[in-house]
Amino acid sequence: MNKGSNSPSPWKYVDFDLEINEESTSRSYPVTARSPEGEAHGQMRFPFDEWELRDKLRDLENALLRSGGKRRRIGTPEEQSVQSFGRALFEALLVGEVGAHYRMSLREARRQNKGLRLKLHVRPAELSTLPWE
């Protein structure tokens, strides 16, 4: 704990709220970003069709089962599949104005020697069960 601080964590953060709203067209979702830098809007195009998503989720489950609490080795095929899935979601979510707003907020947080905390609000039920973390 920092001396003179009521905060239990020594880390300071800038919040970046991302809200994925209900589907407006097939596999496309309106996204709103809010932070001290302002507000931005965009359209997320979900990166996987139904079959690809099933395959990706199966690969993630296998990766978790194989890790079995062992030390994680960077670069294993399992680790790469987890990273690939996360990267695809990240890149689909942070496009256009929302992505620019994210990068601007990240630069400002770093300038202040703070971290950028993403708070994800997922409204569509079909996306809320995904492993976003």
Side-chain angles (χ1 to χ4, degrees):
M1 186 184 296
N2 280 347
K3 290 182 179 181
S5 170
N6 292 330
S7 172
S9 171
W11 302 104
K12 301 286 185 192
Y13 295 96
V14 172
D15 288 337
F16 188 83
D17 285 290
L18 279 170
E19 184 172 349
I20 304 172
N21 295 297
E22 293 297 326
E23 186 173 13
S24 63
T25 61
S26 180
R27 308 198 61 79
S28 184
Y29 302 86
V31 176
T32 301
R34 292 179 191 89
S35 79
E37 300 297 313
E39 190 169 299
H41 302 278
Q43 198 72 17
M44 174 191 174
R45 175 93 177 116
F46 192 70
F48 310 112
D49 65 27
E50 182 181 341
W51 293 104
E52 286 175 309
L53 180 59
R54 284 184 189 177
D55 288 344
K56 298 287 184 186
L57 291 174
R58 186 191 65 238
D59 291 346
L60 288 174
E61 184 177 3
N62 288 335
L64 291 174
L65 290 172
R66 287 186 182 143
S67 71
K70 295 184 235 171
R71 266 191 144 168
R72 293 168 65 182
R73 295 177 309 187
I74 304 297
T76 65
E78 292 84 10
E79 180 75 16
Q80 290 172 0
S81 69
V82 170
Q83 288 179 355
S84 173
F85 182 79
R87 188 178 313 108
L89 289 177
F90 184 83
E91 290 171 356
L93 184 58
L94 296 173
V95 295
E97 185 182 328
V98 172
H101 193 75
Y102 169 80
R103 289 184 295 279
M104 182 174 59
S105 296
L106 182 59
R107 277 193 302 275
E108 181 57 24
R110 287 180 176 161
R111 188 189 68 72
Q112 297 176 26
N113 290 319
K114 296 180 179 179
L116 187 65
R117 178 178 25 225
L118 269 67
K119 293 183 174 182
L120 186 59
H121 310 275
V122 182
R123 305 290 179 229
E126 66 273 18
L127 299 183
S128 66
T129 60
L130 294 177
W132 288 94
E133 63 281 347

